Structure formats: C-alpha cells, structure tokens
Amino acid sequence: MALQELNNGKNYLVYIDPVTAITGATPPVAGAVTWKMLMCLSSNAFAMTVNGIDTTSKCTDGWADSIPGDGSWSITAEGQTVAIDADDLATQQSAEELFALAQEKQSFWAAIFDVAKNTYRVGVVFISSFNETFNNNAAYTFSITLTGRGKVYNAPTA
C-alpha cells in the first residue's frame, strides 16, 4: 500500500473580513486585502449539519425515513490573545476585534483557507460564543464560535 499525502491542520487558518458588506451577492475573493488572519490559534474547526424532515409513514414499512431540511454551519477557534503591532492590523487580528464584534453583535464574513487557497469555506457569521481564560501561570486565551448565516461557499463564485 502506498503512503498517502496528508495535510497538516496548521495550514488551515481562520480569517475575518469585517469591512466588506455582508449584503453582497458573492463573498470576498480569497485574495482580497480585507481578510484578516486570526493570530496564534491553537485549534480551529468547521462544522455543518442538515436537519432531517421526518417523512415516516405507513408506506415506509416500519422504517424511519427523512429528507434533508434546513442546514446550519459554524467555525470554532481557540488561541492565545496577543498584541498586534499597529503596522500589522491590516492583515492580522487577535481577540480584541473579535471581542468588539461580539459586543456589537455585528455580522461579518469569515473563512477558513489553506495556504494555497485550495480549501475554501466562506460565509457570513456572527459571534455566538466568546470566551476568555485568565488562568494562573498560563497563557491568556480565547475561544469563539462563529455561527453561519445563510449559505456557506466552498468555492469562489463568479
């Protein structure tokens, strides 16, 4: 059996774009200068679920049946809270802006891209959960849940 080429999770980063209007017909392109990379993440994930609509009846012979209903998706991220130099704020973001976005209940674009921009998960989100941890003799950390609003895109749109 040949070895498989595996992908390292550290190459899949979370970005936010709080500048581009969420009312646009298409998301910002992966190379847009408005994307800001979240700094010093220790983990991040993408999740999508589709609710089932129960269609069980006497015709299903005693077996449950369902059809796909509404879908939902989210991005979660955890990391260290770090200060960002003023010169780097255009391309990088720590927890401070996330705190402000959560506090203002603002919706914005969010994405997970790999370095080559081959993996593409983009959509409008709001911060549904924001946590900070200030443990003794440990890094000051944060964790967030970005809850998707509407469709998630897995490829750039024309």
Side-chain angles (χ1 to χ4, degrees), residues 22-75:
I22 63 169
T23 54
T26 61
V29 297
V33 297
T34 50
W35 287 115
K36 292 182 173 190
M37 180 177 57
L38 299 187
M39 294 303 298
C40 296
L41 293 181
S42 54
S43 69
N44 53 277
F46 173 84
M48 181 171 48
T49 60
V50 176
N51 295 328
I53 299 171
D54 185 16
T55 58
T56 305
S57 70
K58 293 178 183 180
C59 295
T60 59
D61 241 354
W63 290 95
D65 194 8
S66 61
I67 58 174
D70 292 335
S72 62
W73 62 277
S74 64
I75 293 172

Side-chain angles (χ1 to χ4, degrees), residues 9-15 37-38 40-41 44 75 111-115 119 121:
K10 75 177 183 177
N11 295 323
Y12 297 82
L13 305 171
V14 177
Y15 296 82
M37 180 177 57
L38 299 187
C40 296
L41 293 181
N44 53 277
I75 293 172
I112 294 182
F113 300 129
D114 64 327
V115 175
T119 297
R121 307 288 185 261

Side-chain angles (χ1 to χ4, degrees), residues 116-139:
K117 308 285 191 286
N118 292 325
T119 297
Y120 187 93
R121 307 288 185 261
V122 179
V124 174
V125 300
F126 65 93
I127 298 174
S128 58
S129 173
F130 180 91
N131 300 290
E132 294 176 305
T133 305
F134 310 95
N135 290 334
N136 187 45
N137 290 324

